[in-house]
Amino acid sequence: MKHQEKPPEGNLTKPMEFVLLDFADVPHLQWFLFGLFLIIYIMILVGNGTVFLITKLDPALQTPMYFLLGNFSFLEMCYVSVILPRMLTNLWTQRRRISLVACATQMCFFLMLGVTECFFLAVMAYDRYVAICHPLHYPLVMNHKVCVQLVAGSWMGGVPVQIGQTFQTFSLSSCGSNLINHFFCDIPPVIKLACGNTTVNEMMVYTVAVLFVAVPFLLILVSYGKIISTILKLSSATSRTKAFSTCSSHLVMVTLFFGSATITYLRPKTQDSAGTNKVLSLFYTISTPLFNPMIYSLRNKDFIKALKKLLRK
C-alpha cells in the first residue's frame, strides 16, 4: 500500500458513513450483475443448505467426514451472506452508502468467518490424514467429542484477533474521502482512505494473514504430503484410486480458496489494483461456497444415495 503524507490535523476526520463503489464503473451492467449474483446467491444457499440437511438427517452419513462437511456447508452460507445481500441491495437501489458501524460489522464478520474457513480446511485435511494414514486408529482419534472440539475451535479461533484488527483499522483517521473502491468493507480498501503512515496496520494485515492463512495452508500441505506418501505405498491400484478420490474434492477447495486469498493479501502492493482486487475477492468469497456442494456431492456415491432417499421421502 502506498503511504500517504500526513495532512494538517484539521483535515483529519472519522467519516460516519462510507460509499461502496462496488461496480459503479460499469453502470450499463448493473441489472445484469444483480441478476447474476442473485442466481449465484440462491444456488449457494440451496446447494449448501441441502448438504447441511442431508449430513444431519441421514443416519448413514453420521461419520466425522460428513460431520465436518455439514458444518463447512453451514459456514459457507454464513460467509457469503455477510457480503452478497448488501451487494445485491446496492445494485438494486443504486444507494451505496453504508454506516460506519455497519461497515465495521461487515468487516469483522467477514474476517472471522474467513479465518474459520482456513481452520476448517486444515481440520478436514487432518481428518483425511488420519483416515488414510492411520485407519485403525481413526474411530478413536476422530471421535465425536474431538470433532466437536475441532469445529468449535475453528469457529472461535480467530474471533479476538479479528475484532482487534477491525478496531485498529477503523481507529485510523481519514483524509476526508469516504469512497471505498470495493464491493464490501475489506481491510486494504479501507486502509487506503487513511492519512499518515499506515505501516503498523499493513504489518498487522501481513502478520494475521501469515498466522491464519499461511500456517493452516502449510499444515494442509504437510498432511497431504503424508497422505500421498501413504497412498503411493498401497499395493492395489483400486485402493490408490479410491484414496485419491476421497482427497481430490478437498484439494480443489483448498486451491480455490487459499490461492486467491493468498494473492489478494500477500502479493506486493506495487502490483495493487482495485479492479484486480475485486476480481480476486469475488473468486474466494463466491467460488468456494458455489462449488462446494458440486465438488463434494456429485462425485460422492454415499451422498447421492442419501439425496435420492431424501427426495423420495
Side-chain angles (χ1 to χ4, degrees), residues 3 15 17 56 62 110 119 125 143 168 172 174 189 199 204 208 226 238 257 269 284 301 304 307:
H3 299 161
E17 67 175 11
K56 297 301 177 187
Q62 303 309 303
F110 168 75
F119 287 164
N143 59 61
Q168 183 189 44
L172 295 168
S174 169
T199 304
M204 183 68 174
V208 171
K226 293 181 177 295
T238 305
F257 183 78
K269 293 305 170 185
Y284 73 81
K301 293 180 181 179
I304 295 295
L307 178 60

Side-chain angles (χ1 to χ4, degrees), residues 11-291:
N11 291 343
L12 297 179
T13 60
K14 286 189 183 297
M16 297 312 295
E17 67 175 11
F18 296 93
V19 177
L20 291 168
L21 296 180
D22 52 61
F23 305 100
D25 53 338
V26 283
H28 56 291
L29 294 178
Q30 299 296 296
W31 288 110
F32 169 76
L33 291 172
F34 174 81
L36 175 65
F37 290 128
L38 178 61
I39 293 170
I40 289 174
Y41 187 45
I42 292 171
M43 289 174 64
I44 289 171
L45 293 182
V46 172
N48 286 283
T50 301
V51 173
F52 176 74
L53 285 175
I54 289 177
T55 55
K56 297 301 177 187
L57 297 177
D58 195 286
L61 301 184
Q62 303 309 303
T63 64
M65 183 178 79
Y66 291 109
F67 176 76
L68 295 174
L69 178 57
N71 279 276
F72 185 69
S73 295
F74 178 71
L75 166 65
E76 295 288 51
M77 290 189 288
C78 297
Y79 183 59
V80 79
S81 294
V82 171
I83 297 169
L84 277 184
R86 164 69 67 172
M87 187 167 70
L88 289 169
T89 301
N90 291 346
L91 288 169
W92 176 266
T93 63
Q94 296 299 299
R95 296 179 190 143
R96 297 180 168 85
R97 295 186 179 274
I98 182 171
S99 70
L100 173 65
V101 173
C103 190
T105 302
Q106 185 186 54
M107 178 186 289
C108 190
F109 275 96
F110 168 75
L111 294 174
M112 288 190 297
L113 293 173
V115 167
T116 301
E117 180 140 357
C118 293
F119 287 164
F120 251 107
L121 290 169
V123 168
M124 293 168 82
Y126 175 71
D127 172 71
R128 292 298 84 206
Y129 159 72
V130 178
I132 293 173
C133 299
H134 303 285
L136 298 179
H137 297 105
Y138 183 70
L140 180 64
V141 175
M142 294 299 293
N143 59 61
H144 183 70
K145 182 180 178 181
V146 170
C147 288
V148 171
Q149 290 173 341
L150 289 171
V151 168
S154 297
W155 278 100
M156 301 303 297
V159 171
V161 174
Q162 299 305 345
I163 290 175
Q165 189 169 33
T166 302
F167 178 79
Q168 183 189 44
T169 301
F170 282 92
S171 67
L172 295 168
S173 295
S174 169
C175 293
S177 174
N178 66 342
L179 303 178
I180 299 177
N181 193 9
H182 212 346
F183 57 89
F184 70 98
C185 293
D186 199 5
I187 293 179
V190 172
I191 288 182
K192 278 186 177 181
L193 304 180
C195 292
N197 194 327
T198 58
T199 304
V200 173
N201 298 82
E202 293 172 25
M203 289 305 299
M204 183 68 174
V205 172
Y206 279 110
T207 303
V208 171
V210 168
L211 285 175
F212 295 124
V213 178
V215 171
F217 183 64
L218 288 175
L219 292 175
I220 291 170
L221 289 181
V222 171
S223 297
Y224 274 102
K226 293 181 177 295
I227 287 171
I228 292 171
S229 175
T230 301
I231 290 174
L232 293 176
K233 293 176 184 176
L234 296 175
S235 55
S236 166
T238 305
S239 300
R240 287 197 297 271
T241 303
K242 185 177 179 181
F244 271 122
S245 127
T246 62
C247 300
S248 58
S249 301
H250 183 255
L251 278 172
V252 171
M253 297 301 296
V254 167
T255 304
L256 283 174
F257 183 78
F258 281 102
S260 51
T262 300
I263 294 171
T264 301
Y265 290 101
L266 297 180
R267 68 197 174 100
K269 293 305 170 185
T270 53
Q271 303 173 13
D272 202 12
S273 162
T276 304
N277 281 342
K278 288 180 188 178
V279 172
L280 289 170
S281 298
L282 275 174
F283 203 73
Y284 73 81
T285 56
I286 293 178
S287 64
T288 51
L290 178 63
F291 294 127

